[in-house]
Amino acid sequence: MSITFEEKDCIVNTGNLYNLKRFAGKAKNKEELTVGFIGGSITQGFSSSAFDKCYAYRVYENIKNRYNNPSVQYVNAGIGATDSEFACARVSEDLLKYEPDLVFVEFSVNDESEPHFRETYEGLIRQIINYREDVAVVLIHSVFYDSGKNAEREHLKIARHYELPSVSMRSSIYDMLLKGELENTDITEDNLHPNDFGHKLMADVICKVFDLVDSKEENSLEEKNEIPVPLTKNGYVHSVCYHNDKSEAIILNEGFVPDLSEKTGITDCFKAGWLSYDSGDRIVFNVVGENFAAQYRRTIERPAPVVCAYVDGDYENGIILDGSFDEDWGDKLCLTTLAEGLPYGEHIIEFETVESYIEIDPDTEEIISEEGSPFMLVSVVASDSKEREIIHLDPVCTHNIWGGSRLREDFNYNYEGDDLGECWGISAHPNGDGTVKSGKFKGMKLSELFKDYPELFNNNGEDDRFPLLTKIIDAKDDLSIQVHPDDEYAGKNENGSLGKMECWYVLDAPENATLVAGHNAKTKEELESMIHEGRWNDFIREIPVKKGDFIQIDPGTVHAIKGGILLLETQQNSDITYRVYDYDRLQNGKKRELHVEKSIDVITVPAKSVDDSVLHFADTEKNTLVKMYECKYYRVYKADVDDALEIDIPADYVLVSVTEGEGFIDGDAVKKGDHMILPFGYGKAVVTGNLQIILSTK
Ligand code: ZN
């Protein structure tokens, strides 16, 4: 049967085709591109006879052939019987981490035609378009072929608002059914899932968009730069599934058993939750968000227990979650909204099994009769309207008499001179206040951001300034022998300034490199005489270091970086340094000021042992986050990535510096020398590529 479609019947919203045209141009140039699909069972290929008969695969093949580009990659993130609300919680993990250049979205039969799904659909769309400014998006409206029902009306509001091209099976294929040009049985068995021929027609309809794009002249389209303000309350733009690996969210568990069986792929979607067999089982979560839902299995292997869910202790208004599914097509991953539009923050979500068909021996607790199935709580989903973005910073470099040229040459910082000593990568200190490089805070100083947007740092007044500072230091020559005071001494003697605890991760060091950490004086008297008499060789303790070493410098520790060493320093946000000795060097014809008496005041006697001072992290396991050090002021981590790493550090915010290589953090391209902050509530970040990162938190 040969069917042809009119473009006007297929494309119900043309939108802005700039990103699609750009995608087509890259495809023609044989660039490596990835095409991704997210949706329900139709996208998954349900009712097609093979994976390559599904509409998604056919569209992908059409793109490869049309642009004669065999290197285009295919990602299918379809999961049957799931809607855009669940997609909000899984789009990063299931799709965006593969860095798609073009994304198709198919939820118009799984979402209902209700405002709730306008909001969840918007949350999904915003996550996709926020992920990368050049991503191309096409919206697909599937339809029930008996009733013509779908959520197109709600979804089109989003399509128009974001000027996204969208294609409809209702105004094309379904319309032909109405006119008698096609029979339902030609294209579908169940009036929902297309058969192979139905999938082919769907692909034909979708590919009309590419016909249109290819008919446009290069440069005839205008780029769309701004993402508009949300149309809805936008409460699903950030969404997290709490599975059993996030045990920190559970405040009580009586009887819910974690399901630790292995998950085999994205459609193996009942995994990583908890099983309940018995009435009275309880599990209580404390999670952050505005909107909350429970994800659970409804099974055809009836009966299964019934669970009641409560939000914030409202026991009058429990929500019933029935584990039994009165159908025969299979188990369903059900997503039930428990609360919407609560104030952003921590909320208590509680589940109690109220009815069970499984008999348990009260003495041995063994199952006597297992007639049905356990209840499977798959996850608690917490969503909110806080749009997170990684805060990328433009650092400040300093000129120092001991500095070199590596910050310019190896790290590509845009500074002149061969005396570049320090790059203040993540700093809100007045002597080197970083500037936000991109995104909605572009151009702001980090100090302003910290003051004006405390919610980005979960700072409820406890910090009056950004507490940390990350630097890269290139010592071409030796730095002066110095010491820093602690908070108490600095507060009293330096106008309320903070003291300075610091640590070093050695990025590079010549052979037989040493640095100064500690001294050899046994008593305060010996210390004073060594310093006053200038017996520097007796006084200074040099220790050998190599690339990958970590050195913690407590306040009161005499220290100096020696020539040839390149390192990353994490420190308290302070610039109070007491110089003990400067090798009698001259700067502009003068010696730099020394602070001998203050130094003697604060130097710890005797010094910490060498073994306690240097730790080794050169060859840590790849794709693994390693905590190098933890003290009162900071935690410092390192990771070498050659594939992928998930970062999920429990902290208000995380400072990230790329010290080697390049890759992506949640789709943002990053390279050696880049510095950024993952703000409060950012959640899990996925790092991919070939790179080394050093992270620190308060
Ligand atoms: Zn120092």
Side-chain angles (χ1 to χ4, degrees):
M1 201 181 319
S2 166
I3 305 282
T4 51
F5 296 100
E6 300 271 338
E7 191 177 282
K8 66 172 176 40
D9 297 329
C10 301
I11 302 171
V12 286
N13 188 55
T14 307
N16 182 311
L17 297 172
Y18 183 88
N19 281 0
L20 263 183
K21 186 75 187 171
R22 177 159 53 184
F23 171 88
K26 289 180 185 173
K28 271 186 216 151
N29 286 334
K30 307 277 183 285
E31 290 184 31
E32 282 190 23
L33 297 166
T34 297
V35 177
F37 295 81
I38 189 163
S41 52
I42 299 175
T43 296
Q44 197 190 325
F46 198 80
S47 287
S48 68
S49 64
F51 78 93
D52 59 352
K53 300 282 188 263
C54 153
Y55 88 85
Y57 200 85
R58 289 169 189 270
V59 168
Y60 156 70
E61 284 202 307
N62 181 296
I63 291 167
K64 278 207 299 190
N65 296 335
R66 176 184 296 260
Y67 301 115
N68 190 18
N69 183 341
S71 67
V72 177
Q73 301 291 311
Y74 173 68
V75 179
N76 188 323
I79 302 180
T82 65
D83 57 20
S84 65
E85 183 171 354
F86 178 33
C88 289
R90 70 186 184 89
V91 64
S92 294
E93 181 68 25
D94 289 352
L95 183 59
L96 300 181
K97 82 164 176 210
Y98 300 104
E99 296 163 25
D101 301 280
L102 166 60
V103 174
F104 294 88
V105 179
E106 187 270 318
F107 283 110
S108 296
V109 288
N110 292 31
D111 284 3
E112 309 268 337
S113 191
E114 290 169 3
H116 167 76
F117 288 106
R118 188 193 316 157
E119 187 170 350
T120 59
Y121 198 69
E122 177 166 49
L124 173 63
I125 299 305
R126 283 186 81 89
Q127 286 189 54
I128 296 168
I129 59 182
N130 280 337
Y131 127 83
R132 225 171 69 189
E133 63 177 13
D134 65 344
V135 69
V137 180
V138 176
L139 308 180
I140 300 168
H141 308 304
S142 295
V143 69
F144 285 92
Y145 291 108
D146 49 355
S147 61
K149 243 183 67 185
N150 66 9
E152 192 169 317
R153 199 185 47 161
E154 294 300 337
H155 289 176
L156 263 177
K157 289 175 186 163
I158 301 302
R160 293 196 194 99
H161 189 67
Y162 294 97
E163 297 181 50
L164 298 173
S166 58
V167 288
S168 170
M169 304 310 134
R170 183 164 72 178
S171 54
S172 54
I173 303 174
Y174 177 70
D175 198 49
M176 285 186 157
L177 297 177
L178 288 182
K179 290 182 188 149
E181 295 167 27
L182 264 177
E183 290 293 325
N184 291 46
T185 48
D186 295 337
I187 57 161
T188 172
E189 298 284 307
D190 60 2
N191 278 317
L192 174 61
H193 301 98
N195 58 22
D196 286 355
F197 183 60
H199 272 289
K200 181 197 171 291
L201 294 187
M202 249 187 106
D204 290 348
V205 169
I206 294 163
C207 289
K208 284 284 172 193
V209 171
F210 294 95
D211 295 347
L212 177 62
V213 166
D214 293 342
S215 74
K216 301 279 180 194
E217 294 284 323
E218 296 286 344
N219 309 324
S220 69
L221 301 168
E222 222 173 292
E223 184 166 11
K224 191 165 171 283
N225 290 313
E226 296 275 304
I227 295 176
V229 296
L231 192 64
T232 67
K233 282 191 286 178
N234 200 29
Y236 292 88
V237 77
H238 177 254
S239 183
V240 179
C241 279
Y242 289 85
H243 290 288
N244 62 32
D245 59 336
K246 290 199 169 71
S247 55
E248 69 275 8
I250 301 168
I251 52 177
L252 181 126
N253 185 359
E254 292 170 350
F256 275 78
V257 183
D259 168 20
L260 302 173
S261 59
E262 205 187 329
K263 183 170 168 156
T264 56
I266 67 160
T267 55
D268 186 18
C269 54
F270 299 112
K271 295 288 170 65
W274 298 262
L275 307 179
S276 168
Y277 295 88
D278 207 1
S279 298
D281 287 353
R282 269 177 86 209
I283 187 165
V284 184
F285 296 80
N286 180 1
V287 285
V288 173
E290 296 161 9
N291 304 310
F292 301 92
Q295 216 182 10
Y296 59 103
R297 182 184 70 169
R298 299 195 70 192
T299 181
I300 56 174
E301 284 172 36
R302 302 176 288 269
V306 174
V307 165
C308 195
Y310 308 97
V311 177
D312 291 333
D314 182 5
Y315 297 108
E316 304 282 289
N317 295 298
I319 296 143
I320 294 292
L321 313 176
D322 187 349
S324 301
F325 193 33
D326 203 7
E327 283 279 354
D328 52 16
W329 54 266
D331 290 355
K332 180 181 159 82
L333 181 64
C334 205
L335 189 65
T336 296
T337 300
L338 304 178
E340 267 193 303
L342 300 183
Y344 177 77
E346 293 183 347
H347 292 276
I348 303 295
I349 313 293
E350 185 170 342
F351 300 90
E352 184 176 2
T353 304
V354 290
E355 244 178 85
S356 175
Y357 298 92
I358 296 168
E359 249 185 276
I360 298 205
D361 186 314
D363 298 326
T364 64
E365 296 199 347
E366 271 178 29
I367 298 165
I368 305 169
S369 94
E370 189 180 355
E371 208 194 313
S373 306
F375 185 88
M376 274 182 142
L377 176 64
V378 176
S379 79
V380 172
V381 187
S383 311
D384 61 66
S385 58
K386 305 266 175 281
E387 278 189 24
R388 276 87 180 165
E389 52 180 76
I390 297 176
I391 301 163
H392 295 272
L393 293 164
D394 238 340
V396 175
C397 290
T398 64
H399 299 271
N400 305 76
I401 53 168
W402 44 262
S405 56
R406 296 177 76 173
L407 294 175
R408 177 164 54 74
E409 288 167 359
D410 297 0
F411 287 86
N412 285 309
Y413 294 126
N414 192 14
Y415 279 81
E416 300 283 317
D418 290 327
D419 62 345
L420 296 174
E422 302 187 346
C423 162
W424 296 34
I426 305 172
S427 161
H429 192 280
N431 295 353
D433 202 353
T435 307
V436 181
K437 197 153 71 168
S438 56
K440 68 178 168 216
F441 304 113
K442 187 174 174 176
M444 283 184 82
K445 295 285 184 198
L446 181 56
S447 61
E448 293 171 331
L449 195 68
F450 192 74
K451 197 165 108 255
D452 297 348
Y453 295 89
E455 66 273 18
L456 295 173
F457 306 92
N458 195 27
N459 182 23
N460 304 308
E462 63 272 22
D463 284 324
D464 63 349
R465 68 201 104 175
F466 190 75
L468 295 176
L469 205 172
T470 303
K471 289 178 183 175
I472 294 174
I473 298 179
D474 171 25
K476 197 172 107 217
D477 296 317
D478 300 350
L479 271 74
S480 62
I481 310 284
Q482 51 185 254
V483 63
H484 306 297
D486 61 14
D487 285 345
E488 196 190 336
Y489 189 91
K492 260 188 231 146
N493 298 285
E494 306 292 346
N495 295 321
S497 176
L498 291 176
K500 184 166 160 188
M501 175 92 87
E502 69 184 39
C503 63
W504 300 330
Y505 178 76
V506 179
L507 299 171
D508 196 20
E511 227 167 280
N512 304 319
T514 61
L515 48 73
V516 176
H519 58 81
N520 296 315
K522 304 278 179 301
T523 63
K524 205 87 185 176
E525 293 72 46
E526 196 181 2
L527 174 93
E528 282 185 52
S529 70
M530 281 173 164
I531 293 176
H532 285 138
E533 293 162 22
R535 287 156 49 206
W536 302 116
N537 288 342
D538 294 340
F539 174 65
I540 290 162
R541 187 175 77 187
E542 283 194 37
I543 55 182
V545 288
K546 52 191 187 316
K547 185 174 174 171
D549 283 349
F550 179 94
I551 302 105
Q552 165 71 10
I553 305 288
D554 295 332
T557 305
V558 175
H559 62 280
I561 302 169
K562 304 278 283 180
I565 291 177
L566 182 76
L567 56 78
L568 181 133
E569 178 176 273
T570 302
Q571 55 162 88
Q572 280 179 274
N573 177 7
S574 158
D575 206 16
I576 307 290
T577 295
Y578 300 144
R579 217 172 273 134
V580 188
Y581 174 55
D582 199 23
Y583 317 98
D584 301 318
R585 283 187 293 207
L586 301 180
Q587 183 173 37
N588 305 325
K590 283 192 303 221
K591 285 188 190 175
R592 293 194 294 177
E593 192 194 352
L594 298 180
H595 318 85
V596 172
E597 294 316 313
K598 281 178 172 173
S599 298
I600 291 171
D601 278 351
V602 303
I603 292 172
T604 308
V605 188
K608 198 157 97 173
S609 78
V610 173
D611 283 347
D612 285 344
S613 302
V614 185
L615 306 166
H616 310 286
F617 296 99
D619 295 307
T620 52
E621 195 180 332
K622 296 262 198 249
N623 307 309
T624 304
L625 192 65
V626 178
K627 192 199 281 176
M628 296 196 287
Y629 201 81
E630 175 163 10
C631 67
K632 183 174 156 198
Y633 297 103
Y634 47 71
R635 279 174 280 157
V636 183
Y637 303 78
K638 174 209 162 183
D640 286 312
V641 178
D642 67 0
D643 179 17
L645 167 73
E646 268 181 17
I647 309 172
D648 201 1
I649 299 176
D652 286 345
Y653 49 96
V654 181
L655 285 57
V656 185
S657 297
V658 182
T659 49
E660 290 276 359
E662 58 185 18
F664 291 89
I665 300 185
D666 283 346
D668 287 10
V670 295
K671 59 177 191 313
K672 177 174 176 172
D674 285 351
H675 302 271
M676 66 216 79
I677 298 170
L678 308 181
F680 178 64
Y682 185 84
K684 196 188 304 180
V686 179
V687 184
T688 55
N690 229 307
L691 65 168
Q692 181 182 69
I693 48 175
I694 308 289
L695 303 93
S696 48
T697 67
K698 206 172 76 156

